[in-house]
Amino acid sequence: MNVLPPPFSHAEIETSREVSQARLLRVLLVEDNPDDAALVVRLLTRAGYELVWEQVQTEDALKRALARGGWDIVLSDYNMPQFDALQALRTLRERSAHLPFIIISGSIGEETAVAAMRAGANDYVMKTNLPRLIPAVERELRDAAERQERAHTREALVDLQEKFRVVFHEYLDVMIVLDPRGSILHVNHAVRRIMGYEEGHLIGKPLAALWPRRQKAVADAILASVRQDGSAFYSGPFRRTDGSICPMDLQASKAPWGHEEAVIVTLRDVTERQRAEQRLNDEKEQLAVTLRSMGDGVITTDAAGRVVLLNGAAETLTGWSQPEAKGHPLGEILPLTCGEEEEGLCDEFLQEVLRTGDTVTMSRQVQLRDRAGRQYTLALKAAPITTHDGSHSGVVTVFRDTTVEQKMEEELQKASKLESVALLAGGIAHDFNNILTAMLGHLSLAKATPTPSPQVLASIEKACLYATGLTRQLLSFAKGNDPVRRAENLAEIAEESVRFALHGSNIRCHFELAEHLWRAELDRGQINQVINNLVINAVQASPEGGVLHVGARNVVVGREERVATLRAGDYVRLSIRDNGLGISTENLTRIFDPYFTTKSAGSGLGLATSYSIIKKHGGLIRVESELEVGTTFTIYLPAKPDPMPTLENRTAAENSKADASPTGGRVLFMDDEAILQELVGAMLEHLGYAVVCASDGRAAVQLYAEALATPQAFDVVIVDLTVPGGMGGHETMRCLAAIDPQVKVVVSSGYSNDPIMAAFQEHGFSGVIAKPYQMAELSEVLQGVRGGRMKEEG
């Protein structure tokens, strides 16, 4: 084989494709004569081609060259010693149907040439007319490129058709192609899976074949809508071949289909969706029934705090109906108050729920006034409505009317107090008998001597003061149930209450009260009752006596201590520990239940009442106990972290008051007790005042009015708060103020815990003094009132 130049590799062929724009031509020459091959190469080179060529002259060499690929054209001699052009053509066509094949021969006849063309040759050129080779090559190259493009197009079309067929038939929904007249051209496999129809059975039938005959108008209406609007939608029942009904959504629209327009129809089985919708509707109905039947009020709001839903109980309690309330701020529908806090409670509550993402319970009792003006006491909690992405889309607030429950708790507290008073009666009677014995004995000694000694008089005074303190403690313990919380010194209250409750017992007390204790937010009377209940329990659990340990300290819940049921914040913690009999494990979880008791004569109300009181204070009471070892009760009460003044500071402040002498003046004293008129009149005269006494309010008002227009007008009026069968101090004060707006009135009462005594200024009084009192106290109050100072004490 004569090759000019040597054969080229696959890499050379791939590289040569990059310069195809420069008339690169890759030629495979099937030729046994090197001179003829060289002639063809020169001819093509002169025609402007950059040649990459190879000469082969056997069938095996041809096969190897074709296997390497990359040829643009094959030029073959017809007659060669080992095989001819027809054999080369067959070998070529087995591998490529598009590669151009031109025969070059000097002796081929017309019949042979025709046979070669029929066998697949693209052209033949006589060696005697080689110049015709160039246009033949160019033509065949163009035709080959076109054939290749058409082949690629056909392959792409076949591939696209196959993909369309797969997508069409594997589509999960039923898909139908209609011709412009509405007859079915194609259906996919889903029609058999979903509806039971054989695909071939529907071809050529109208769309109405999918409906019962009486519903044929539905299909006509769908097609009419498509023709007019370009699309149509329908949702309804379709019948399967087995007679069952299948709910489906239909969508139809125009689409180009060849040279015409077709209608593409998709049918989606919505059985599962309808079942899910039905389940959702059932759940909504169940929820609606549940909400309607709930005794608690339920209100849901959006994230902005505007009402979305009210249930029946909420409508009843608020006076708003669902349509009226929707869209209004929650604070308008649920106007809550708590003591002096009149506005913003709902907004604060909602913001806390949305900020923390937690269920929040209102620790304080709140009041609701409905649209008709009726007032309820509520227990209330709220929780966020959380979406799938974790954000909060609103708040659900649940509340219930606890007005009756609160009254029942108050009755429980009253009953508990009666029980406690009965238990304390023996000890109090014991102490009062001791006091009376001391007073009577010293009075006997005073009467037995012409001039009583100062020591005897001082002992009588001391016994009276002790009795006064005991009486005030008893009044504080028996105070009413209305919780009025103030910042108080819990250590002082605890010490006073514990000593009071231990009267007559065989238990001594050990106090461990921290210095600089914070002030606790509490109702003094109610906390007094709680401490008395706990101390009485300790006394009853310690029949052989012992020591009661009482401690108080400041704690910060959430930082110093972890208490699961308390919000983080500042508290004062009070603990009362005895070394008595203890409480069994099975009873420990029930001791705060109303009427649960292990005592033969107990009512079981004391600890239940104590639990209720501490809970209403926003605090916590818990218990730890071990049989034969003792019991510890621990109380947490919300605190203000600023310490109470120490006893030394208070004493110094009191001792620093000026001891000014009275400057005289006229005092009108009103009291229904003649013995008190005589006593107080003498005390006032001793202090340098002129005194006029009256037995009731009407007489006092008349005396004051008569003196007002004379130089003998009264400087100060002292009135008793309670006058049986007559005008008392409160009404007297209003009458005097009507006569003289500048009148100075001091209110006095033996009921030191009366609300008027605690807040005398709010009722118009200039001062207050609690019975019994000494002459020094009376002098100080009168000086304060006349000098413009108002002494606040109860």
Side-chain angles (χ1 to χ4, degrees), residues 46 49 145 154 167 320 586 645 681 775 793:
R46 290 176 181 173
Y49 289 103
R154 284 195 299 272
V167 171
W320 289 78
E586 58 269 22
M775 191 162 55
E793 68 176 58

Side-chain angles (χ1 to χ4, degrees), residues 136 290 310 402 460 507 525 555:
T290 302
L310 283 80
T402 60
I460 294 172
I507 293 179
V555 295

Side-chain angles (χ1 to χ4, degrees), residues 491-701:
E492 182 181 284
I493 295 171
E495 187 170 357
E496 181 181 282
S497 299
V498 171
R499 294 191 189 281
F500 171 66
L502 288 177
H503 281 301
S505 73
N506 58 351
I507 293 179
R508 65 183 177 86
C509 189
H510 175 70
F511 291 98
E512 297 178 4
L513 307 175
E515 294 184 0
H516 308 298
L517 202 66
W518 293 334
R519 291 183 295 169
E521 292 284 346
L522 54 85
D523 181 298
R524 190 182 187 97
Q526 291 193 357
I527 298 302
N528 192 299
Q529 181 183 356
V530 170
I531 296 173
N532 274 276
N533 288 341
L534 298 181
V535 174
I536 289 170
N537 278 354
V539 171
Q540 293 175 333
S542 307
E544 298 181 1
V547 180
L548 188 69
H549 297 269
V550 179
R553 57 166 292 193
N554 303 324
V555 295
V556 180
V557 171
R559 187 173 67 193
E560 299 173 1
E561 291 191 15
R562 298 286 181 181
V563 183
T565 54
L566 275 183
R567 293 185 187 179
D570 301 312
Y571 293 83
V572 177
R573 186 183 69 191
L574 175 69
S575 61
I576 299 176
R577 174 168 57 89
D578 64 54
N579 52 6
L581 300 175
I583 305 169
S584 66
T585 303
E586 58 269 22
N587 290 335
L588 201 60
T589 59
R590 302 179 60 197
I591 61 171
F592 295 117
D593 294 345
Y595 303 107
F596 174 77
T597 181
T598 58
K599 307 169 191 174
S600 58
S603 67
L605 295 175
L607 290 179
T609 302
S610 300
Y611 179 87
S612 173
I613 290 173
I614 298 301
K615 183 180 179 182
K616 286 192 291 186
H617 277 72
L620 172 70
I621 180 171
R622 60 185 184 183
V623 60
E624 298 173 356
S625 187
E626 186 176 346
L627 288 174
E628 306 303 329
V629 175
T631 301
T632 302
F633 284 92
T634 305
I635 296 171
Y636 293 82
L637 289 170
K640 288 187 174 181
D642 52 323
M644 294 290 291
T646 62
L647 178 61
E648 293 78 5
N649 292 338
R650 292 201 306 272
T651 304
E654 290 172 1
N655 291 339
S656 66
K657 293 179 181 178
D659 188 16
S661 299
T663 59
R666 285 174 57 80
V667 177
L668 175 59
F669 179 75
M670 184 274 283
D671 197 293
D672 63 302
E673 293 286 348
I675 189 172
L676 288 180
Q677 293 181 24
E678 181 181 346
L679 172 64
V680 176
M683 293 168 66
L684 290 169
E685 288 176 355
H686 181 79
L687 292 171
Y689 292 98
V691 184
V692 176
C693 294
S695 298
D696 66 8
R698 287 185 175 83
V701 171

Side-chain angles (χ1 to χ4, degrees), residues 698-721:
R698 287 185 175 83
V701 171
Q702 183 177 351
L703 288 170
Y704 188 89
E706 291 173 354
L708 186 61
T710 71
Q712 304 298 316
F714 293 104
D715 297 293
V716 180
V717 181
I718 302 174
V719 295
D720 188 16
L721 187 59

